[in-house]
Amino acid sequence: MTDFFNGITPIKYEGLDASSDLAFRHYNPDEIVMGKRMADHLRFAVAYWHSFAWPGGDPFGGQTFERPWFGDTIDLAKLKADVAFEMFDILGAPFFCFHDADVRPEGADFAENTRNLEEIVDYFAQKMESSKTRLLWGTANLFSHRRFMSGAATNPDPEVFAWSAATVKTCMDATHKLGGENYVLWGGREGYETLLNTDLTREAEQAGAFLSMVVDYKHKIGFKGAILIEPKPQEPSKHQYDYDVATVYGFLKRFGLENEVKVNIEQGHAILAGHSFEHELALAASLGIFGSIDMNRNDYQSGWDTDQFPDNVPEMARAYYEVLKAGGFTTGGTNFDAKLRRQSLDPEDLIAAHVGAMDVCARALKAAAALLEDGALEEARKARYAGWDAPENRAMLTSDLATIEARVRSQGINPAPRSGRQERLENLWNRFV
Ligand code: XUL
Ligand code: CO
């Protein structure tokens, strides 16, 4: 045991009367919601990078957090892992997620990076023997080091492509060894700053070839989890190639990978792309590529990716409504890709942030489930399209313009506009959240 969390004991569900802020008021893991344990619906994951590797810097100032494990040695990386697994236990977190660079010290070359990663993966494996926490997903950090400044797979320099491919292989091996349920690719530098120095055609071909190799390697090693792309429209690149769900789907179709790769949708990224989170979720489900979510918000005023813990229950209920409608998570889950504010220095802040986030997710899930079980919203939606159930109307979808014109004339079709009833549906929604 380390002494970092000052003897904070495991967080329990105490209901609405709980007196401490280190207790769950809504998240009751064993409570059954729509026939399934709440914990199995939500599948919470702690993000290793923000909680344990982020120093608290912003564009105007550096580190604010003092953590005894900060530094680039294997021993400190193991101390970090000790504290991380203690936090997973305190929270009862079913999952965690990591990038290679969060967990291992940076080596002088590729071989040293790989050795460091393997040593930490073995250490994780040992810790997981006595922990209930599993790996939701692993990923490679192909964006922080200066070698990636012009991209990873889409870099003009083939040596960076090679380094990136080799690194992803080691990270897929690590994820597979730890029983990870997914492997994520967020293309932090896969985009461009200016078209003046960028060949779009080449970069797309490189990205397609790279992803095809990832899929081939998954099958080669027998990794049963899902490969997930995480869309984001900009930041750090001015224009990111994986802009949003629709863009990613077009890319997957182009390279014949739409049945192999799904998406990890982040709330904040959806908003940056000019969408709502629920739009991105509904579209992914409709295209058959819904995988997992990163449940962290941005600040609506600042317009950049502030990665804050979620706090907006009505918005989150819309998201979980789409997740439930899509049939819930299979390999995916709810990852908190969220960091503390840089003034939140105390170990208790780290615990309270996750407790609050888990609680608001549980509250949103319960509201969404109640609305879905009530059925009135789905009935109203169905009724709006009911005309399409008539065979003569459905037949139009495989007909032609001239035949339809003849039908309009012979039947004297003259459509009468009907209310979309938006306010009534909003009132219905608001009775549940
Ligand atoms: C960046 C982001 C990443 C991915 C994993 O905005 O969301 O942390 O989730 O690389
Ligand atoms: Co994310």
Side-chain angles (χ1 to χ4, degrees):
M1 276 290 276
T2 73
D3 53 12
F4 184 70
F5 287 113
N6 303 322
I8 298 176
T9 50
I11 309 297
K12 293 201 181 63
Y13 171 71
E14 293 178 15
L16 290 176
D17 299 333
S19 52
S20 156
D21 71 336
L22 299 187
F24 295 123
R25 287 166 170 73
H26 298 276
Y27 179 59
N28 183 9
D30 292 319
E31 187 177 321
I32 302 296
V33 176
M34 288 180 72
K36 205 155 100 178
R37 287 175 69 242
M38 208 185 266
D40 298 333
H41 273 292
L42 292 163
R43 293 168 59 86
F44 289 129
V46 172
Y48 209 91
W49 51 103
H50 288 317
S51 287
F52 305 109
W54 186 61
D58 74 5
F60 299 92
Q63 177 172 350
T64 57
F65 298 147
E66 285 171 348
R67 307 297 198 211
W69 58 85
F70 280 174
D72 238 6
T73 69
I74 278 282
D75 285 345
L76 289 173
K78 287 184 179 170
L79 173 61
K80 175 162 53 173
D82 293 341
V83 173
F85 276 82
E86 280 170 23
M87 187 171 96
F88 303 159
D89 279 352
I90 291 172
L91 293 171
F95 294 101
F96 73 110
C97 303
F98 71 90
H99 303 83
D100 53 351
D102 318 326
V103 301
R104 54 128 176 86
E106 190 67 34
D109 55 22
F110 182 78
E112 195 183 338
N113 269 354
T114 309
R115 266 198 315 279
N116 288 347
L117 180 63
E118 284 169 351
E119 187 164 346
I120 293 298
V121 164
D122 287 343
Y123 196 65
F124 278 1
Q126 247 177 46
K127 300 194 84 69
M128 286 169 77
E129 277 172 25
S130 58
S131 162
K132 291 202 179 86
T133 305
R134 305 284 122 219
L135 178 62
L136 187 66
W137 45 265
T139 186
N141 178 328
L142 303 179
F143 44 88
S144 294
H145 195 282
R146 63 195 290 272
R147 75 172 66 84
F148 303 117
M149 68 180 189
S150 313
T154 61
N155 202 295
D157 179 353
E159 290 202 351
V160 181
F161 181 98
W163 180 291
S164 306
T167 301
V168 166
K169 178 203 170 281
T170 63
C171 291
M172 290 176 76
D173 289 341
T175 303
H176 189 38
K177 189 160 182 186
L178 293 172
E181 302 206 14
N182 307 271
Y183 184 82
V184 165
L185 298 119
W186 170 59
R189 303 278 172 194
E190 313 293 23
Y192 63 84
E193 297 303 319
T194 172
L195 265 183
L196 296 179
N197 65 10
T198 301
D199 183 337
L200 278 174
T201 310
R202 274 181 184 275
E203 295 201 1
E205 276 163 11
Q206 287 171 217
F210 194 95
L211 188 60
S212 302
M213 285 187 253
V214 168
V215 168
D216 287 348
Y217 191 65
K218 162 193 153 147
H219 292 304
K220 184 167 171 211
I221 60 176
F223 178 65
K224 297 284 175 258
I227 303 291
L228 305 175
I229 289 190
E230 185 174 321
K232 185 174 183 182
Q234 69 273 320
E235 202 215 332
S237 297
K238 177 179 157 48
H239 186 106
Q240 298 270 145
Y241 293 133
D242 299 332
Y243 195 94
D244 59 3
V245 168
T247 310
V248 168
Y249 186 71
F251 170 78
L252 295 177
K253 279 293 260 193
R254 174 172 170 192
F255 293 98
L257 297 170
E258 71 275 18
N259 297 322
E260 294 281 2
V261 179
K262 295 186 162 72
V263 280
N264 179 42
I265 306 172
E266 177 166 318
Q267 197 269 0
H269 297 179
I271 308 293
L272 287 177
H275 301 303
S276 64
F277 193 22
E278 62 268 24
H279 164 84
E280 290 289 81
L281 293 165
L283 182 61
S286 137
L287 295 169
I289 58 168
F290 170 62
S292 198
I293 64 177
D294 274 8
M295 183 55 103
N296 42 284
R297 68 190 161 105
N298 294 343
D299 182 289
Y300 281 111
Q301 277 79 52
S302 71
W304 58 293
D305 192 7
T306 56
D307 283 332
Q308 291 175 242
F309 284 90
D311 75 340
N312 188 328
V313 174
E315 252 183 28
M316 294 158 67
R318 297 259 174 131
Y320 281 116
Y321 190 80
E322 297 304 328
V323 172
L324 289 174
K325 250 178 62 179
F329 295 121
T330 52
T331 62
T334 301
N335 174 42
F336 297 118
D337 187 0
K339 55 185 178 245
L340 294 172
R341 297 307 86 194
R342 69 198 293 269
Q343 301 174 52
S344 304
L345 303 178
D346 301 340
E348 287 78 1
D349 292 324
L350 204 45
I351 303 289
H354 285 90
V355 170
M358 290 159 86
D359 251 356
V360 287
C361 286
R363 216 170 146 186
L365 175 83
K366 284 191 283 188
L371 188 66
L372 203 57
E373 280 183 322
D374 171 80
L377 188 64
E378 290 316 304
E379 271 165 38
R381 194 198 311 269
K382 208 168 154 229
R384 191 158 180 246
Y385 293 87
W388 284 100
D389 294 340
E392 65 275 23
N393 289 334
R394 273 206 79 74
M396 280 195 292
L397 299 180
T398 48
S399 182
D400 59 84
L401 297 185
T403 309
I404 295 175
E405 188 209 9
R407 182 181 173 215
V408 171
R409 286 179 187 280
S410 69
Q411 297 182 2
I413 288 178
N414 190 7
R418 277 192 287 164
S419 173
R421 298 183 171 176
Q422 179 167 335
E423 295 76 10
R424 294 175 68 181
L425 297 176
E426 285 168 353
N427 294 349
L428 168 66
W429 180 270
N430 286 330
R431 288 205 285 276
F432 287 81
V433 288

